[in-house]
Amino acid sequence: MLIVHHLNVSQSERIVWLLEELELPYELCVYERDRVTQFALPELRSVHPLGSAPVLCDGDVVMAESGAIVEYVLARYGNGRLSVPVTSPQYPDYLYWLHYANASLMAQIGLNWIAAMVAGANSDSPVLPTLRQRLDRHLQMVEDRLSRSPYFAGSEFTAADIMMHFPFGTMKAFYNVGLDKLPNVKAWLARISDRRGYQRGMKAAGHEQDPALDWGATRSAF
């Protein structure tokens, strides 16, 4: 059986959600954050050297990195679900957004978050507005994409949407990118929130409410 090592309030919820969407059996091992540092507690390093989540165990396979795990699960157990065939015209979009989520968007959000913490709330550093401008370019690109398509890879929900969800959902616990000027992103989040697999996944991951819909939507509770 697949074993998911999951850190509360983290990107490892992607893997829980993916497995719920695919209706695959799995065992969930949950880890709490250190109350002071907010990092994972040291016992997770006994599973993977970096001590971060997610980690997927599948027999002798021990794999970290949420994007890699998503591709692994889909390739071995997806049977074509939640992915796009390489021969499809939508495959480049699927592949791009699947990897953009962490390689570019989360990297920029993380940089903004850390810079804001280091600089402090009352900082007049010119770095902060420059970083915000860079992040806003990312957000506008995402918004433009969702103005042309209901999901990132086209007309159908795929794993690219699973990867893209975290920056606008649970990441708000650490850094809120803001959705006031992103109506298409809001509409996409609402579509996601209606999915039974998503609802099961977020519950299993430890959320009592939908982490993406506390911006005034009426469907904030599961």
Side-chain angles (χ1 to χ4, degrees):
M1 178 180 290
L2 297 172
I3 301 173
V4 180
H5 294 269
H6 165 58
L7 177 65
N8 276 340
V9 194
S10 81
Q11 297 182 55
S12 56
E13 69 186 32
R14 289 167 167 157
I15 310 308
V16 181
W17 175 15
L18 173 69
L19 296 178
E20 290 290 345
E21 290 279 357
L22 294 173
E23 298 183 318
L24 293 173
Y26 65 95
E27 177 184 339
L28 188 63
C29 297
V30 179
Y31 299 79
E32 300 294 333
R33 292 180 178 273
D34 184 282
R35 293 186 178 182
V36 176
T37 67
Q38 292 300 303
F39 292 128
L41 292 170
E43 63 251 35
L44 193 51
R45 290 202 294 270
S46 66
V47 184
H48 189 274
L50 293 182
S52 59
V55 178
L56 180 78
C57 296
D58 181 17
D60 293 334
V61 174
V62 178
M63 178 174 287
E65 295 294 339
S66 59
I69 294 171
V70 166
E71 290 207 61
Y72 174 87
V73 169
L74 291 177
R76 288 213 164 174
Y77 304 108
N79 293 319
R81 294 171 293 173
L82 302 184
S83 60
V84 174
V86 68
T87 55
S88 168
Q90 282 73 50
Y91 179 73
D93 286 325
Y94 167 76
L95 195 63
Y96 175 78
W97 294 106
L98 185 76
H99 289 280
Y100 165 82
N102 267 12
S104 294
L105 182 55
M106 276 301 300
Q108 185 65 54
I109 292 172
L111 184 59
N112 285 48
W113 172 37
I114 293 170
M117 286 193 297
V118 171
N122 299 318
S123 173
D124 58 357
S125 168
V127 173
L128 296 183
T130 299
L131 288 175
R132 183 65 214 194
Q133 290 171 8
R134 291 177 64 89
L135 177 56
D136 285 342
R137 290 200 295 272
H138 282 272
L139 298 178
Q140 189 58 54
M141 183 178 72
V142 172
E143 174 72 4
D144 290 345
R145 171 59 183 170
L146 292 173
S147 73
R148 301 189 299 273
S149 176
Y151 297 103
F152 282 97
S155 61
E156 300 295 330
F157 172 85
T158 69
D161 298 287
I162 292 178
M163 288 297 296
M164 283 295 296
H165 187 273
F166 183 85
F168 302 100
T170 301
M171 186 60 196
K172 288 192 295 185
F174 307 99
Y175 187 91
N176 191 344
V177 300
L179 298 175
D180 289 344
K181 297 180 181 180
L182 304 172
N184 294 312
V185 174
K186 283 188 177 184
W188 169 74
L189 289 170
R191 287 191 292 276
I192 296 292
S193 77
D194 283 336
R195 298 186 63 84
R196 295 299 300 168
Y198 171 76
Q199 294 166 12
R200 292 194 305 269
M202 292 302 107
K203 280 186 177 181
H207 292 290
E208 295 182 0
Q209 292 187 319
D210 188 328
L213 291 183
D214 61 358
W215 34 260
T218 58
R219 293 169 294 175
S220 59
F222 289 121

